[in-house]
Amino acid sequence: LGQGVEIKITNDGTEDILVTVYDRTTNPARAVLTNQRINGFTSVPISLMGDATGRANLSWTATSADTASPKCGHADTVVSNADSVNVHADSSCSA
């Protein structure tokens, strides 16, 4: 495995969200954030394990902090050092 990959997880909306991020470069995948509350338009720095090419695989899930009308979001992405990943909870949550 390569060097650490330093990125930012950014809430790209106005609503507070709860975010979980998994580093999928490692096997098994490891949680690097677990239900971290991120305020609107705020970023949280995290460090992932890089592969031989200096990139990292991550997956994220987000749920709205407002439990009255919950919204969800998720994605898998490949990142490089100093990237910013926009996270959001703007879709209906599957049961």
Side-chain angles (χ1 to χ4, degrees):
L1 293 175
Q3 299 294 315
V5 176
E6 306 294 323
I7 66 161
K8 282 188 204 151
I9 301 296
T10 302
N11 177 352
D12 64 4
T14 57
E15 306 282 323
D16 290 3
I17 56 176
L18 302 175
V19 178
T20 299
V21 176
Y22 292 95
D23 183 344
R24 296 170 49 109
T25 309
T26 61
N27 190 6
R30 71 183 173 97
V32 286
L33 282 182
T34 305
N35 283 331
Q36 172 81 42
R37 186 182 190 110
I38 303 178
N39 298 329
F41 301 111
T42 301
S43 296
V44 174
I46 63 170
S47 182
L48 304 168
M49 182 63 67
D51 64 15
T53 66
R55 297 167 76 85
N57 292 301
L58 70 83
S59 65
W60 61 265
T61 60
T63 54
S64 53
D66 175 12
T67 55
S69 57
K71 296 284 189 181
C72 295
H74 62 90
D76 298 334
T77 188
V78 176
V79 293
S80 299
N81 203 44
D83 278 354
S84 183
V85 176
N86 289 333
V87 298
H88 41 264
D90 54 13
S91 304
S92 61
C93 299
S94 50

